[in-house]
């Protein structure tokens, strides 16, 4: 079974997508299993970062998934 916080993140991501929210969603987790990352993406996340998150990794993910106008 997944930790409670992970379940909340998956549910929140899924609900946002169901509501039509189209902003980029970056999941952050301490779980490094590939199946956990797949679940987040399947729920609607654009990407998943594993902890510890470095500034460089965060900036890279943001530049890939966020448009600056």
């Amino acid at each position: 079974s997944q930790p409670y916080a992970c379940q909340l993140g998956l549910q929140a991501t899924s609900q946002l997508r169901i509501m039509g929210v189209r902003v980029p969603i970056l999941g952050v987790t301490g779980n490094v299993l590939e199946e956990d990352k797949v679940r987040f993406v399947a729920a609607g996340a654009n990407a998943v970062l594993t902890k510890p998150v470095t500034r460089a990794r965060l900036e890279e993910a943001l530049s890939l998934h966020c448009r600056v106008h």
Side-chain angles (χ1 to χ4, degrees):
S1 177
Q2 295 181 15
Y4 184 67
C6 183
Q7 282 293 336
L8 287 178
L10 288 169
Q11 290 173 2
T13 299
S14 180
Q15 286 298 310
L16 287 167
R17 294 305 188 215
I18 289 169
M19 293 171 15
V21 176
R22 301 182 76 71
V23 298
I25 297 175
L26 303 177
V28 178
T29 182
N31 298 331
V32 295
L33 298 175
E34 190 63 30
E35 64 191 51
D36 292 328
K37 294 178 185 179
V38 169
R39 275 194 279 265
F40 267 101
V41 173
N46 296 85
V48 181
L49 303 174
T50 54
K51 295 177 185 176
V53 177
T54 64
R55 181 179 179 142
R57 287 180 55 222
L58 178 59
E59 287 177 349
E60 178 183 10
L62 290 172
S63 70
L64 286 172
H65 300 287
C66 298
R67 293 185 200 153
V68 178
H69 298 280

